[in-house]
Amino acid sequence: MKNTEDTFGYAADLTQATTQKFGRITDEVNALVKHLKEAVLQVGKKGVVVHIAHSQGALLTYLAAKQLSPLEMSKIEVIAFGGAAALRRSQETPFARVINYYSVNDPLLLVVPPAAEALKSGFENEEFCFLAPRIGNPINDHYLLGPTYAQALAWEGKRFQQQYHSIIRRSTRPVLIFCIALFRAILVRLEYFIKKLVQITFVPIFQVFLRVWNLLQSTILKPVVALLTLLWVAIFDIIQNFRQEEKYQPANVALKLANKEKEKKKKKK
């Protein structure tokens, strides 16, 4: 897998892993080689790269090691969980540290003879650590973030802190985490307080304003507007009369007046 979107499903993964088991170098192997080389350069001479591999990832690491120099491997710690290949420290692969975690019911023990032999030997090899399954289902116990391997992952996290973090950093980190959690809790409370304040104060005030506005519209504004309209019409009529302008009459009114005049003329005759 070269990126988070490069997922093909179980069938394709098993097919690919089978070809890699026979030594086939795929794009995923080359991508891992590039990643590890860049990581070694980034940490510098005094740094160490902690590389975590799970299942097929251990097989990719095994193949990638063939393209790494002894100096590069000496800067890398390998932690494998349920690996499809067992990683070992040797003259050809002088890793800084190697540890292979396996659940005793992990199905990959059937295809990794060195791990199966280490299990039979009575846990005498320091490069292998066998875990009691937490679920009892071989498939579920194989998951990296399942309860079986997650506990070992937590052990490695604590070891990393003790090995590479200073006492000051280890002692101040809980205080820093507490301060961050406290700050977030304060922000949540503050947000809740502001919402309540708005609901208690501004919302009622706005509601009162709307009621007053509606009351003003119905009792004062509408009558005032109607009165001003009547005044304007009256003033306009006065101005028209003063100028002796003809008032506009609708067509039907004009016809009625014309008919009445005609009737008056006929009666006179």
Side-chain angles (χ1 to χ4, degrees):
M1 188 171 72
K2 292 181 288 187
N3 52 61
T4 55
E5 298 179 355
D6 184 14
T7 52
F8 301 107
Y10 288 116
D13 286 344
L14 286 173
T15 303
Q16 186 185 65
T18 301
T19 61
Q20 290 169 345
K21 193 71 176 174
F22 288 101
R24 179 171 173 261
I25 303 300
T26 61
D27 292 339
E28 290 77 10
V29 176
N30 294 327
L32 179 58
V33 172
K34 180 181 177 182
H35 170 71
L36 291 175
K37 286 180 176 290
E38 290 176 352
V40 169
L41 289 175
Q42 288 177 1
V43 299
K45 295 180 180 180
K46 296 183 180 181
V48 175
V49 176
V50 179
H51 174 63
I52 298 174
H54 172 253
S55 193
Q56 187 182 357
L59 179 56
L60 295 176
T61 305
Y62 174 81
L63 296 173
K66 298 179 180 181
Q67 301 183 46
L68 298 174
S69 67
L71 180 61
E72 289 170 335
M73 283 185 278
S74 67
K75 306 289 292 182
I76 300 173
E77 288 188 7
V78 180
I79 306 169
F81 297 88
L87 295 155
R88 311 292 294 272
R89 291 182 74 244
S90 64
Q91 291 183 353
E92 291 77 17
T93 55
F95 289 109
R97 174 176 176 255
V98 171
I99 180 72
N100 297 274
Y101 286 99
Y102 283 96
S103 174
V104 295
N105 65 342
D106 196 308
L108 289 185
L109 288 171
L110 300 174
V111 295
V112 185
E117 292 174 4
L119 178 60
K120 294 177 182 179
S121 67
F123 314 103
E124 294 179 356
N125 197 313
E126 294 180 354
E127 295 179 348
F128 291 91
C129 181
F130 295 96
L131 308 171
R134 300 295 180 181
I135 300 176
N137 184 308
I139 302 300
N140 293 333
D141 285 316
H142 177 70
Y143 292 150
L144 176 61
L145 298 181
T148 303
Y149 288 143
Q151 185 180 22
L153 193 60
W155 295 340
E156 289 293 336
K158 291 179 181 179
R159 178 189 176 277
F160 178 84
Q161 291 177 353
Q162 294 175 354
Q163 190 81 12
Y164 300 109
H165 288 177
S166 64
I167 297 175
I168 296 175
R169 182 172 180 178
R170 293 203 304 269
S171 58
T172 56
R173 188 170 182 270
V175 177
L176 180 62
I177 292 174
F178 173 77
C179 291
I180 294 172
L182 180 63
F183 179 70
R184 289 181 177 177
I186 292 173
L187 286 180
V188 171
R189 289 291 181 181
L190 182 62
E191 182 181 0
Y192 175 78
F193 173 75
I194 292 173
K195 287 181 179 179
K196 283 294 182 183
L197 182 64
V198 170
Q199 291 176 356
I200 294 172
T201 57
F202 293 101
V203 172
I205 291 172
F206 184 70
Q207 290 176 345
V208 170
F209 174 77
L210 285 178
R211 290 176 182 175
V212 172
W213 174 253
N214 292 331
L215 182 63
L216 288 174
Q217 276 187 319
S218 60
T219 58
I220 297 176
L221 293 179
K222 287 183 179 180
V224 169
V225 171
L227 180 61
L228 291 175
T229 303
L230 291 173
L231 287 173
W232 169 250
V233 172
I235 293 170
F236 185 75
D237 288 340
I238 292 170
I239 292 172
Q240 279 187 333
N241 292 330
F242 181 77
R243 291 181 177 179
Q244 294 182 353
E245 295 179 355
E246 293 185 357
K247 293 183 179 180
Y248 168 77
Q249 289 183 342
N252 57 347
V253 174
L255 288 173
K256 287 181 180 180
L257 291 174
N259 291 331
K260 286 181 180 180
E261 289 180 0
K262 287 181 181 180
E263 289 177 358
K264 286 179 180 181
K265 288 180 180 180
K266 287 180 180 180
K267 289 180 180 180
K268 289 180 180 181
K269 292 179 179 180

